[in-house]
Amino acid sequence: MTDKLVEKLRRERDLSDSELKELIESGAHDEALRQAADEVRRERYGDAVFLRGLIEFTSYCKNNCLYCGLRAGNRNAERYRLSKDEILACCAEGYALGYRTFVLQGGEDPYYTDDMICDIVREIRARYPDCAITLSIGEKPRESYERYFEAGANRYLLRHETADLIHYGQLHPADMSGENRKRCLRDLKEIGYQVGSGFMVGSPYQTTDNLIADLRFLQKLQPDMIGIGPYITHRDTPFKNEKNGSVELTLRMLSILRLMFPYALLPSTTALGTIDPHGRELGLQSGGNVVMPNLSPTGVREKYAIYDNKICTGEESAQCRRCLEMRIESAGYRAVTDRGDVRRDETGVKDDT
Ligand code: 5AD
Ligand code: SF4
Ligand code: FES
């Protein structure tokens, strides 16, 4: 049985708001969506799943996002910072495990000046010319983004979190603005980064219209990567009594994204693996083609607690590598250790990468 709505989305890569609403709110299209999303991902990327080594280098953050355990106002959070040498040691370990992308992620921590970030990026660039360097360190002035780029960073992850400005205001304190976040994303694109954006699924107060606004925003931005994951409650935040987002809706949104953005790099996220033991495998089968194994030193992993019960905190990097490879294979795909650049062209699978 073909599903007309799903086929239309696949063909036109777009639907009206009311058609999207039907797909998002009804579970009736889920099987057709998943199947179409997997076909489209295989046309473009084959069975490749790209690995990104994630280095969470600081748990300090000056911001106070209401949903996040690392928010400045959380006095119970344990804070740490990695030195340049510790970060380089993570890269060395990651390189040996086959990773060709390093993602430097952290809270917004003014301790790391632009000079320090550039120094770290330059050193990684010099040691690993064949690797992609991704930064995920939040909102900065355009000049800072330009400096990191000149130092050798190629990619930047900054989820827009929610495109609707009123909803943005419900998730963030008054000193943060959805407009500035969008400004950052446009600057990053103009400078020449491969840009990743994205949003949480099932965050407090989120409506279907908010999710449609997220899709519309992404259509304008045309990012290379789109990271989504379920919202998960953290016990020491103002949202401690809110409900988690669901696996079902997250998978549904992943499939919709694959059909709207066939070219995109879509991670099957740690958050998805946290709310369901097979969440990441299901994410891959629903259109995802990236996983981001943790490369942080084991001693600090538990402290990077953006939400409760985060997985992979007790494992060594090499254990995560093996574990993920098995999961990827059991889901029907193949872990690939190259840079995994975006494939915007329509020619599909050309080689055996
Ligand atoms: N649940 C799920 N995702 C979260 N993030 C932050 N806090 C939470 C939470 N409680 C996500 C945000 C941020 C990314 C690094 O982690 O989308 O951009
Ligand atoms: Fe800081 Fe990011 Fe957490 Fe917001 S989501 S408090 S910016 S680490
Ligand atoms: Fe980290 Fe399974 S991926 S332990």
Side-chain angles (χ1 to χ4, degrees):
M1 269 270 294
T2 57
D3 182 308
K4 286 206 177 113
L5 212 46
V6 171
E7 282 315 305
K8 184 174 176 198
L9 177 60
R10 175 191 191 137
R11 197 172 57 243
E12 299 182 10
R13 300 178 188 179
D14 199 9
L15 289 176
S16 69
D17 284 4
S18 63
E19 289 168 327
L20 282 173
K21 201 178 175 87
E22 160 69 17
L23 276 191
I24 294 171
E25 291 185 347
S26 152
H29 308 275
D30 285 359
E31 185 49 34
L33 260 178
R34 194 200 56 69
Q35 215 176 320
D38 189 52
E39 283 168 23
V40 167
R41 81 83 102 211
R42 284 179 190 273
E43 278 165 21
R44 185 77 56 132
Y45 286 100
D47 58 0
V49 173
F50 302 114
L51 304 169
R52 321 293 202 200
L54 179 64
I55 306 168
E56 298 159 331
F57 71 97
T58 171
S59 70
Y60 285 84
C61 186
K62 68 176 170 63
N63 290 336
N64 252 315
C65 306
L66 274 70
Y67 44 83
C68 175
L70 297 184
R71 63 201 306 275
N74 180 9
R75 297 289 160 82
N76 294 331
E78 287 185 69
R79 310 288 178 174
Y80 70 89
R81 295 184 173 112
L82 299 186
S83 66
K84 178 182 171 185
D85 285 344
E86 288 171 315
I87 294 171
L88 289 169
C90 291
C91 294
E93 192 172 358
Y95 195 87
L97 292 171
Y99 304 151
R100 294 297 175 265
T101 294
F102 302 121
V103 183
L104 268 57
Q105 188 163 74
E108 290 194 21
D109 181 0
Y111 166 87
Y112 295 90
T113 60
D114 286 351
D115 282 342
M116 287 164 76
I117 296 290
C118 289
D119 180 50
I120 294 166
V121 169
R122 244 181 252 114
E123 188 64 36
I124 300 175
R125 174 54 59 237
R127 291 192 189 188
Y128 307 102
D130 54 332
C131 291
I133 303 174
T134 306
L135 292 177
S136 180
I137 54 176
E139 299 177 28
K140 305 277 177 180
R142 183 179 176 118
E143 297 69 44
S144 302
Y145 290 147
E146 283 167 348
R147 290 192 55 198
Y148 311 151
F149 191 76
E150 280 159 24
N154 327 81
R155 302 181 183 149
Y156 204 101
L157 305 181
L158 183 74
R159 291 186 178 180
H160 67 278
E161 310 296 359
T162 178
D164 182 276
L165 295 178
I166 295 169
H167 187 218
Y168 192 92
Q170 292 172 316
L171 300 181
H172 300 92
D175 64 353
M176 292 178 75
S177 93
E179 276 127 349
N180 191 54
R181 210 155 178 94
K182 291 179 184 175
R183 187 274 305 161
C184 290
L185 285 162
R186 289 191 193 102
D187 280 348
L188 289 162
K189 267 213 112 169
E190 280 171 25
I191 292 166
Y193 284 95
Q194 292 184 29
V195 169
S197 193
F199 54 91
M200 286 178 289
V201 177
S203 58
Y205 310 109
Q206 186 178 63
T207 62
T208 303
D209 285 346
N210 293 155
L211 287 170
I212 295 171
D214 289 324
L215 297 173
R216 298 296 178 219
F217 172 72
L218 293 167
Q219 283 180 316
K220 273 189 258 156
L221 183 69
Q222 293 284 311
D224 303 280
M225 293 160 271
I226 305 172
I228 68 165
Y231 161 74
I232 304 175
T233 297
H234 188 288
R235 61 189 175 282
D236 297 318
T237 65
F239 287 160
K240 59 171 176 278
N241 296 320
E242 301 288 336
K243 285 207 313 271
N244 287 349
S246 77
V247 197
E248 291 74 25
L249 186 56
T250 308
L251 297 175
R252 198 177 295 156
M253 293 307 298
L254 257 179
S255 296
I256 292 173
L257 287 169
R258 174 55 67 203
L259 296 179
M260 288 178 89
F261 306 93
Y263 67 82
L265 295 159
L266 298 179
S268 190
T269 52
T270 305
L272 197 47
T274 297
I275 55 163
D276 185 305
H278 293 292
R280 282 171 302 176
E281 291 89 316
L282 293 168
L284 295 175
Q285 291 168 334
S286 303
N289 62 342
V290 172
V291 287
M292 298 172 63
N294 201 321
L295 256 187
S296 311
T298 29
V300 304
R301 285 189 190 197
E302 272 185 26
K303 300 179 189 156
Y304 202 84
I306 49 185
Y307 46 75
D308 288 333
N309 304 317
K310 189 164 164 247
I311 53 170
C312 297
T313 54
E315 278 58 31
E316 300 280 346
S317 298
Q319 288 177 299
C320 273
R321 173 71 174 84
R322 277 193 299 274
C323 171
L324 267 180
E325 179 129 24
M326 274 169 40
R327 287 171 185 271
I328 291 166
E329 277 173 20
S330 77
Y333 306 93
R334 190 169 48 103
V336 157
T337 55
D338 70 10
R339 281 171 51 115
D341 285 304
V342 72
R343 294 186 189 157
R344 285 194 182 259
D345 55 282
E346 303 263 347
T347 49
V349 196
K350 298 172 292 247
D351 51 356
D352 191 45
T353 48

